[in-house]
Amino acid sequence: MTELVPEPRSVVADATGEVRLTAHSRLYADTGTEGVGHWLRTVLRQATGLPLREGRELDDAGGDGIGLQLDPGLSPEEYRLVSDRNGVLIEGGSAAGVFWGAQTLRQLLGPDAFRKAPLGGDRARAVPYLTIEDAPRFRWRGMMLDVARHFMPKEGVLRYLDLMAAHKLNVFHFHLTDDQGWRVEIERHPRLTVIGSWRARTKTGHRASPLWEDKPHGGYYTRDDIREIVAYAAERHITVVPEIDVPGHSQAAIAAYPELGNTDVIDTTTLTVWDTWGINPNVLAPTDTTLRFYEGVFEEVLELFPSEFVHVGGDECPKDQWRRSATAQARIRELGLADENELQSWFIGHFDAWLSARGRRLIGWDEILEGGLAEGAAVSSWRGYAGGIAAARAGHDVVMCPEQQVYLDHRQDPGPEEPVPIGWVRTLEDVYRFEPVPPELTPEEARHVLGTQANLWTEVMEDQARVDYQAFPRLAAFAEVAWSALPAPAERDFAGFERRMAAHYRRLDALGVAYRPPTGPLPWQQRPGVLGRPIDGPPPSR
């Protein structure tokens, strides 16, 4: 079962035998790998029914056992997996490297190793003799999940962390707030969830659709839910990066606390949590009241999320209300700013300095480049490659997530059966040929590309099955782009990837993933009659 996804750097097969796990097999986890050992023992006990008792030392694993240990000669996420007559040994430069090796071992055991209970017989018990040496290309291999537009219950988030780990993705960008809902409990501002976490109804399909779901939609994560999610991710060597959107995409917060909006322009007390999609004109007021309010929000966010980076959004902030607001115009004059674009830059810069003073780093969508960006801030380049190129050339770190390439809410096929078709056609092959590092960058500039990220915006994904359909199988192709040292896009062996995917679909089946089949959507995956927003032609390449 060596059809591995993502593809390892080196696989040397030995056809002379296999390691077969038995009721006598032991699992030894050396110092520093105990957490990985606990995880691996748990999933393999579930899948095989074998006890996999704890070994006392590496040799105690025996010819039918598994050993885990650190090797300081390897880089932190690098691993080596050797399966031979002595058993299976996984070595990593850190616990993370050992964990990625354990994920590879799970794939080698076959698709039934991904099940929650044994199916009987000798399934998921044999590993062929081989040696695998492997390491990731990028340190940031991310997936963004938007839970603001459609809420995903905690159990679904934990499931997606498992799916990310199975594909060696290691950054979970958690989009927690937007116009359509506020999803994280903030103790000092309870109305954010009492009022801001639910909406009275929801637009079905694109914003031009005449259809509505006329029932309340909502939900939020308590502080303990967040702690659980962060801890669960950490056990899987995934960092959770929270996003709190400012100064645009903030109507849910303004609906809860009207004083946050531009009260001298509109009656903010009439605003409710938004029930449709698009770019919302109601943005935060650039006042001291707003700054203090969000400093309180971020104080609690920092308590819950230990990540180096905190995402502040910063995208799609219309300036019309600021142009009409005497308060905003007075702030522009007070600060000596040129215009409303520099006012937004000041707003983002305030929180960049605030986060830096607390040992954290700000990251935001590429609009934060407009008007200037503080030295330590990083950029999520979503409007194509241009923002990432500009940021890298200016010395800023970049995560490449261009809409035209890796927005997985975009449709997968031009056919009429695609459910609620959004955006450009991005096939499995298109994603596989995505290249995160623009060729325009010099080697020095390219070092600022931390990695890449696939984004799942959920306006037209009403439940977990719809998220699965949009994410998979393309997230598997993206994971290989993020992990493996692939050749140039045109030279990539997509036919070989498809052959490996034939085995990987069986793993996804065992995991219960409602992916899009290669032959097209199943009848219950279609959404006939629901208006989308397809864009014709190929997307711009830059």
Side-chain angles (χ1 to χ4, degrees):
M1 209 49 200
T2 56
E3 300 90 347
L4 301 173
V5 176
E7 187 173 35
R9 180 176 64 196
S10 169
V11 179
V12 178
D14 179 349
T16 62
E18 63 183 15
V19 175
R20 180 164 290 277
L21 302 180
T22 71
H24 302 291
S25 296
R26 293 182 179 271
L27 192 157
Y28 171 74
D30 201 0
T31 302
T33 71
E34 297 91 345
V36 182
H38 173 75
W39 175 86
L40 184 59
R41 183 177 291 108
T42 299
V43 296
L44 293 187
R45 278 176 174 172
Q46 287 177 341
T48 66
L50 298 174
L52 289 175
R53 295 180 181 87
E54 187 173 345
R56 292 180 294 276
E57 56 187 25
L58 194 59
D59 291 342
D60 195 30
D64 62 355
I66 301 168
L68 311 175
Q69 69 177 15
L70 302 180
D71 180 347
L74 301 176
S75 60
E77 291 192 282
E78 187 176 8
Y79 71 88
R80 181 188 307 111
L81 187 157
V82 179
S83 170
D84 58 20
R85 58 187 179 82
N86 297 312
V88 177
L89 175 63
I90 301 173
E91 298 173 291
S94 70
V98 176
F99 181 73
W100 304 130
Q103 291 287 358
T104 296
L105 172 62
R106 200 180 181 195
Q107 289 197 20
L108 291 168
L109 286 165
D112 293 328
F114 291 85
R115 296 191 179 274
K116 297 290 188 184
L119 303 184
D122 290 335
R123 301 190 193 207
R125 295 191 179 188
V127 184
Y129 285 179
L130 46 63
T131 298
I132 295 175
E133 294 182 337
D134 201 8
R137 179 184 178 190
F138 293 110
R139 61 172 273 204
W140 185 302
R141 305 180 303 279
M143 186 196 84
M144 188 225 67
L145 180 64
D146 165 24
V147 295
R149 273 53 177 267
H150 278 100
F151 179 67
M152 181 177 284
K154 180 191 68 179
E155 292 74 15
V157 173
L158 300 180
R159 173 179 177 265
Y160 257 85
L161 291 169
D162 280 328
L163 292 174
M164 287 179 63
H167 292 84
K168 300 185 173 71
L169 299 173
N170 70 341
V171 178
F172 178 52
H173 177 168
F174 206 6
H175 184 81
L176 288 163
T177 75
D178 217 294
D179 299 302
Q180 295 84 5
W182 185 284
R183 306 294 180 213
V184 55
E185 179 186 21
I186 303 297
E187 284 186 335
R188 72 190 71 185
H189 301 309
R191 294 210 304 270
L192 286 171
T193 46
V194 171
I195 294 172
S197 70
W198 68 277
R199 57 183 181 262
R201 63 175 186 168
T202 299
K203 173 69 72 174
T204 299
H206 183 250
R207 60 181 174 272
S209 168
L211 304 176
W212 294 88
E213 184 180 42
D214 284 307
K215 68 177 184 180
H217 175 88
Y220 67 92
Y221 309 102
T222 68
R223 289 166 59 87
D224 281 347
D225 289 338
I226 294 293
R227 292 185 180 101
E228 180 181 357
I229 288 167
V230 169
Y232 195 87
E235 289 175 351
R236 287 147 184 80
H237 298 275
I238 295 171
T239 299
V240 182
V241 174
E243 180 178 353
I244 305 296
D245 228 327
V246 295
H249 288 291
S250 298
Q251 183 162 318
I254 299 169
Y257 291 92
E259 64 271 22
L260 297 175
N262 294 283
T263 57
D264 58 346
V265 174
I266 63 165
D267 181 1
T268 56
T269 63
T270 65
L271 295 179
T272 59
V273 178
W274 214 25
D275 55 14
T276 189
W277 321 121
I279 299 175
N280 192 310
N282 297 303
V283 302
L284 297 174
T287 64
D288 290 342
T289 296
T290 301
L291 296 180
R292 301 293 88 76
F293 181 96
Y294 273 88
E295 286 171 0
V297 169
F298 282 116
E299 282 179 7
E300 295 195 29
V301 167
L302 297 191
E303 291 172 14
L304 296 170
F305 296 93
S307 56
E308 174 187 3
F309 288 97
V310 175
H311 207 290
V312 299
D315 63 319
E316 296 181 331
C317 178
K319 310 299 190 298
D320 291 346
Q321 289 185 358
W322 287 353
R323 292 187 185 98
R324 293 156 47 206
S325 166
T327 300
Q329 293 302 312
R331 178 58 57 119
I332 288 174
R333 291 191 298 272
E334 171 197 339
L335 297 170
L337 305 176
D339 55 22
E340 292 77 18
N341 286 333
E342 287 195 6
L343 183 63
Q344 177 172 346
S345 178
W346 164 82
F347 197 104
I348 296 297
H350 174 87
F351 287 103
D352 178 71
W354 190 92
L355 289 167
S356 295
R358 289 153 181 81
R360 307 297 185 94
R361 292 182 65 189
L362 179 145
I363 185 169
W365 304 111
D366 55 56
E367 285 96 329
I368 69 172
L369 287 164
E370 299 164 3
L373 186 58
E375 183 178 347
V379 170
S380 300
S381 185
W382 76 275
R383 296 180 298 176
Y385 287 88
I389 292 170
R393 286 176 173 168
H396 295 288
D397 288 338
V398 178
V399 175
M400 297 301 297
C401 49
E403 169 186 28
Q404 302 91 331
Q405 310 294 330
V406 288
Y407 268 34
L408 300 187
D409 47 301
H410 284 203
R411 58 192 172 135
Q412 304 182 62
D413 188 89
E417 297 84 10
E418 288 303 307
V420 200
I422 299 295
W424 291 286
V425 173
R426 293 286 83 192
T427 66
L428 182 66
E429 182 172 359
D430 290 331
V431 174
Y432 190 68
R433 297 193 189 280
F434 162 60
E435 172 50 48
V437 179
E440 297 94 323
L441 296 180
T442 67
E444 179 64 30
E445 292 165 347
R447 278 193 276 274
H448 284 291
V449 179
L450 299 178
T452 184
Q453 178 173 291
N455 294 340
L456 286 157
W457 299 103
T458 62
E459 287 94 336
V460 299
M461 299 183 216
E462 71 276 10
D463 55 29
Q464 178 178 285
R466 282 286 289 123
V467 176
D468 280 5
Y469 180 91
Q470 293 300 134
F472 289 99
R474 293 182 296 178
L475 193 66
F478 172 80
E480 184 149 312
V481 168
W483 177 277
S484 305
L486 298 177
E491 300 168 9
R492 292 177 187 172
D493 182 11
F494 180 68
F497 176 74
E498 283 191 304
R499 284 193 297 273
R500 286 182 287 116
M501 279 302 298
H504 199 64
Y505 285 121
R506 295 173 59 202
R507 300 179 190 123
L508 297 179
D509 288 333
L511 287 164
V513 177
Y515 58 85
R516 182 190 189 275
T519 53
L522 299 166
W524 55 87
Q525 293 174 321
Q526 300 174 26
R527 297 291 186 275
V530 180
L531 184 67
R533 184 184 60 90
I535 303 175
D536 293 330
S541 60
R542 284 287 177 264

